[in-house]
Amino acid sequence: MTKKDKVGRREFLKDMTLAGAMAAVVPVRPSPLPGMSPGGLLQANRGGDWVRFGHDLHNTRFNSVEGQLGKSNVGRLWQKWHFETEAPIQTTPTVVGNTLFFGTMAGDQYALEAATGKEKWRFFAGYNPEPGAGNQGVRSSAQYEDGKLYFGTGLAKVHCLEAATGEEIWQVQLDDDPMRNRAQIFCSVAVHRGRLYVGTSSSQAQAVCLDAGTGRIRWRFYVVEKSREGGGSIWTSPAIDETANIVYFVTGSLKSYMPPDPMLFSESMLAFDADTGEMLWHDQVRAADTFDLDFSCHPMIFDAVHPAQENEVRKCVGAGSKAGFYCFNRYTGQRYWKAMLTSSGPSSGPILNSTAVAYNRIFVVSNAAPVRGRSAMSVTAALHAYTGDIMWWIANPAHVRGPVAVANGVFYQGFDDGTLEAIDVNSGERLFTHKLPGLIRGGMAISNGTLYTSTGDTLGWRPGGDKKYGVYAFSPDGQ
Amino acid sequence: MNRRSFLKATTGVAATLANGMGWTRNMRAQATSEEEVVEISLGAFYPIGRWYFDPIGVHIQPGQRVRWSGRKWGGSVTAFHPSHDNHELRIPEGARPFDSGILIEGDNPRARFEWVFEEEGTYDYYSRRQERLGAVGRIVVGSPGGPGEEPIGYGESAGRALTYPDVREVFSWLSSEKIVEQGVIPYPMERFGKTFPAQESHF
């Protein structure tokens, strides 16, 4: 951690308290779009902050209280500041008051001033350069909760820091043998009621609940019984239904096509009692496949309203895999609908968290694998949350392999070619386009009139190159 | 470039191909000398949903060594032999059955397996956990012959394990004559590649 520009805990907390107080008096805005409910009937937002990967515990990636940046001024977005890094970024910025947190693939966790981009502190969480370490630094987006910052690392550890200073409070290693199991945490944590939920990617993946105060493991579920049969990685953040006290995880593919024992939990949606870890239901959408069709997008919790009958509501949890978006009854596991916009494949479909839910719609970016003689392309669509029907879709010029976001009637996405776009959620009309000097892999956060995003790189990145990366802040006219 | 250095160069290329595209006909090498090691890779290529050996067919001479390199977790190099999962015999009667065990898994970081083929004849082998996907290969040592030249599935009537359709498909295409004629047969991606079913249940 650098001492430079270190902010005192009291000052930081004051800042946080102010942000919290402001948030408390800001009413939840009614939907700006006639005829649509705001992002599901449940609301898990807190002020204008973007406190975690999925914005809220439901993983909507929708800031429903954002009122400053919207359709009327998104076309005037202008770069406000830029913070340069030596390493690529694959985390969604966490924005709390005037502090922005992000991690890098070199293993650093940063805190910046959200208004200026000035560094507050830096914490090195570790990096293992050894080939096969399965390590890509910090790709797990941090969650801010009650003065603490929580995140996972490519070394399969979870860290808890003092958010004001970057001082470490605890860390815990989740895998017995991270090298042998090629374990890492790409999944972003979910913290709620003093518990932290996270999944590992490994030859023996786990869904884990920790005590947020101490890091002690409260319960743990192994997706596969033995590491040698392997796989079922949890690549993305769990979602929490705080009303029913259920935590949802999705899992990836197996490493073996014909495993010697039954494998019931790979490529599955898993629902657990958040307190005890008891499995309430699970649905394995494919028993095994050789196309690597992971669930690679976060589970999202939403209440879907019938297109014609407002009182008819489905209690849903949905998630995107490389073979399409699946929507379930979140209490029974009943499958409601599935939609796939492009052909299924290892780099196809909604991938790497490129989904969001808002305004009774599921926003999905679906990649199509390159076909001989044709470059990669993708489509973005708004699906009706109740039926899965396509409401509009647009063709994209490149693949999207990062999280997307929604706020105040605008959908945001970032491409592999560095293009950042803002799109009207009603029509699919493009409202703003800007080219960044690198791949957008960490997605974006919209908070208090500002859009924060970053540039990343592919998994082949190693420390020591000349290439630069960074975090970017955009606001109307750069103000 | 003499013949030996050519062979060394081409086997190196084959071992380092990372995306499963395998050998091409320009790289092929007919290995005939005892000290020359033939390289075969074992891996998966997700876009076509296949596990495979590449090259899938190789012609060698008695006493020659073959080295398999696993590129993915969980494959094996296992001879068609009754002692292996009750498979029908598809190696010469007197030959020792070979089995690498599962390569590159948790406690076994070993990615390579080597075998010296002494007996002349036809040797068929498979990858235990991926056989259903047609992950099989054939080595012809000297002249083709022995049980490996029997029709695929001949042992089923005698109670041997049933043959997977994808295995039948591969062996109906992969003839020993073709292997002897060409020396090395790359895995034909386009022929055996599959696409994920477009009409998967939409419930």
Side-chain angles (χ1 to χ4, degrees):
Chain A
M1 187 182 71
T2 58
K3 298 285 183 189
K4 196 175 82 170
D5 303 321
K6 186 171 161 183
V7 66
R9 178 179 158 78
R10 184 167 299 178
E11 188 185 344
F12 178 84
L13 287 175
K14 187 179 163 191
D15 178 31
M16 295 297 114
T17 310
L18 181 60
M22 287 176 68
V25 297
V26 176
V28 173
R29 288 162 50 89
S31 168
L33 306 168
M36 299 176 200
S37 64
L41 301 182
L42 289 167
Q43 295 294 328
N45 303 311
R46 19 185 297 169
D49 294 339
W50 194 290
V51 298
R52 63 178 304 271
F53 159 82
H55 174 266
D56 44 65
L57 293 170
H58 302 159
N59 273 346
T60 62
R61 296 196 63 85
F62 170 43
N63 189 340
S64 65
V65 300
E66 171 62 34
Q68 299 175 52
L69 179 61
K71 289 183 193 177
S72 63
N73 57 4
V74 72
R76 304 201 326 265
L77 279 179
W78 196 261
Q79 188 174 310
K80 191 174 175 182
W81 55 257
H82 163 226
F83 179 84
E84 187 176 272
T85 61
E86 307 267 317
I89 299 160
Q90 289 200 4
T91 58
T92 293
T94 301
V95 186
V96 184
N98 188 31
T99 305
L100 179 150
F101 305 96
F102 71 97
T104 74
M105 288 171 69
D108 288 310
Q109 181 70 237
Y110 286 85
L112 309 181
E113 278 185 11
T116 63
K118 196 172 164 185
E119 184 175 324
K120 289 185 171 184
W121 53 256
R122 185 197 307 194
F123 172 84
F124 180 57
Y127 183 88
N128 184 353
E130 198 171 331
N135 166 33
Q136 295 290 339
V138 178
R139 298 197 293 162
S140 158
S141 303
Q143 178 166 342
Y144 172 86
E145 181 75 12
D146 196 22
K148 311 288 193 303
L149 194 71
Y150 304 88
F151 60 95
T153 73
L155 301 174
K157 291 180 181 178
V158 176
H159 295 259
C160 171
L161 309 183
E162 195 70 63
T165 63
E167 288 166 14
E168 186 166 75
I169 299 170
W170 55 258
Q171 63 166 275
V172 61
Q173 170 61 251
L174 293 187
D175 198 281
D176 294 338
D177 191 342
M179 274 297 284
R180 187 195 67 176
N181 294 333
R182 302 174 189 217
Q184 59 171 309
I185 296 175
F186 182 59
C187 167
S188 299
V189 302
V191 184
H192 179 56
R193 289 183 191 147
R195 312 280 165 80
L196 181 150
Y197 304 89
V198 69
T200 67
S201 300
S202 162
S203 60
Q204 191 181 24
Q206 312 164 35
V208 187
C209 171
L210 305 175
D211 184 302
T214 63
R216 188 173 61 86
I217 292 175
R218 295 186 65 90
W219 58 260
R220 168 149 57 186
F221 173 81
Y222 287 100
V223 179
V224 294
E225 197 173 328
K226 300 168 189 166
S227 68
R228 68 185 189 84
E229 296 159 355
S233 290
I234 295 173
W235 291 108
T236 186
S237 176
I240 297 173
D241 179 338
E242 66 273 47
T243 306
N245 203 35
I246 300 174
V247 58
Y248 299 89
F249 286 86
V250 288
T251 61
S253 60
L254 295 174
K255 73 178 185 183
S256 295
Y257 182 68
M258 293 173 67
D261 299 310
M263 294 288 172
L264 303 178
F265 306 112
S266 58
E267 298 188 37
S268 298
M269 173 73 78
L270 311 175
F272 298 97
D273 180 299
D275 285 336
T276 65
E278 177 193 357
M279 183 176 283
L280 303 175
W281 61 265
H282 81 281
D283 188 346
Q284 186 175 48
V285 299
R286 282 172 300 281
D289 77 81
T290 54
F291 298 87
D292 191 31
L293 302 177
D294 301 311
F295 266 110
S296 60
C297 295
H298 48 287
M300 303 192 297
I301 290 171
F302 53 96
D303 291 353
V305 181
H306 188 280
Q309 303 170 44
E310 285 195 3
N311 294 330
E312 169 59 27
V313 176
R314 284 177 164 177
K315 303 284 188 182
C316 302
V317 61
S321 81
K322 297 170 186 174
F325 189 93
Y326 292 78
C327 179
F328 307 86
N329 179 314
R330 68 174 177 267
Y331 299 138
T332 67
Q334 175 195 354
R335 295 187 194 182
Y336 282 140
W337 53 265
K338 181 203 167 190
M340 182 58 179
L341 301 166
T342 53
S343 61
S344 306
S347 59
S348 301
I351 189 171
L352 292 169
N353 306 312
S354 57
T355 58
V357 57
Y359 311 118
N360 212 28
R361 296 166 185 193
I362 309 297
F363 297 90
V364 173
V365 187
S366 192
N367 295 332
V371 178
R372 190 170 296 133
R374 229 171 38 202
S375 58
M377 56 86 72
S378 75
V379 295
T380 295
L383 310 179
H384 195 285
Y386 190 96
T387 62
D389 291 342
I390 298 173
M391 302 176 78
W392 56 257
W393 70 270
I394 55 173
N396 294 321
H399 276 183
V400 171
R401 279 186 285 194
V404 296
V406 181
N408 202 10
V410 182
F411 170 79
Y412 299 88
Q413 61 183 1
F415 295 103
D416 269 0
D417 69 358
T419 301
L420 173 67
E421 283 189 341
I423 291 166
D424 187 323
V425 297
N426 273 338
S427 61
E429 179 191 355
R430 289 185 157 91
L431 305 171
F432 170 78
T433 299
H434 180 78
K435 192 79 174 274
L436 293 175
L439 298 73
I440 300 174
R441 300 298 295 271
M444 56 291 294
I446 292 87
S447 177
N448 298 315
T450 304
L451 181 151
Y452 302 94
T453 189
S454 59
T455 53
D457 212 331
T458 62
L459 290 181
W461 179 84
R462 291 289 177 273
D466 295 332
K467 203 169 166 186
K468 302 296 182 191
Y469 306 88
V471 175
Y472 296 80
F474 292 87
S475 59
D477 304 318
Q479 297 300 307
Chain B
M1 178 182 278
N2 63 28
R3 188 167 174 281
R4 181 163 301 176
S5 58
F6 171 77
L7 283 171
K8 191 176 169 190
T10 53
T11 49
V13 168
T16 54
L17 281 173
N19 68 355
M21 296 313 292
W23 287 28
T24 69
R25 291 180 190 282
N26 292 334
M27 296 175 191
R28 76 184 190 205
Q30 187 171 10
T32 55
S33 172
E34 285 185 15
E35 66 270 30
E36 289 161 356
V37 178
V38 172
E39 301 269 1
I40 297 175
S41 66
L42 164 60
F45 191 39
Y46 288 135
I48 63 166
R50 296 285 94 176
W51 278 71
Y52 57 88
F53 293 97
D54 185 37
I56 190 171
V58 177
H59 182 215
I60 62 173
Q61 295 304 315
Q64 197 162 359
R65 183 181 297 269
V66 176
R67 179 186 299 137
W68 287 266
S69 300
R71 293 203 313 265
K72 298 292 288 185
W73 290 343
S76 77
V77 180
T78 307
F80 272 82
H81 190 276
S83 64
H84 296 156
D85 311 318
N86 192 33
H87 276 50
E88 65 188 25
L89 183 67
R90 302 194 64 81
I91 65 174
E93 294 281 356
R96 281 190 300 142
F98 50 91
D99 183 14
S100 66
I102 301 298
L103 299 173
I104 332 178
E105 66 173 4
D107 294 323
N108 175 20
R110 193 162 53 101
R112 288 186 172 183
F113 174 69
E114 295 186 358
W115 194 256
V116 177
F117 290 83
E118 304 287 1
E119 303 277 339
E120 209 167 12
T122 301
Y123 293 73
D124 288 343
Y125 63 95
Y126 63 100
S127 179
R128 282 185 190 274
R129 294 182 187 171
Q130 294 81 26
E131 183 188 5
R132 180 178 163 188
L133 303 169
V136 295
R138 174 170 289 182
I139 309 283
V140 177
V141 182
S143 301
E149 293 302 318
E150 295 290 336
I152 186 73
Y154 80 93
E156 290 179 6
S157 58
R160 296 301 176 200
L162 299 178
T163 310
Y164 290 108
D166 285 9
V167 172
R168 286 180 181 274
E169 184 186 5
V170 170
F171 280 130
S172 67
W173 173 83
L174 184 67
S175 71
S176 297
E177 290 72 23
K178 196 186 300 183
I179 293 172
V180 171
E181 179 192 329
Q182 298 183 21
V184 171
I185 298 188
Y187 180 77
M189 294 277 178
E190 292 188 2
R191 183 176 187 91
F192 296 130
K194 310 285 183 189
T195 54
F196 187 74
Q199 295 306 316
E200 189 196 23
S201 167
H202 282 231
F203 50 86

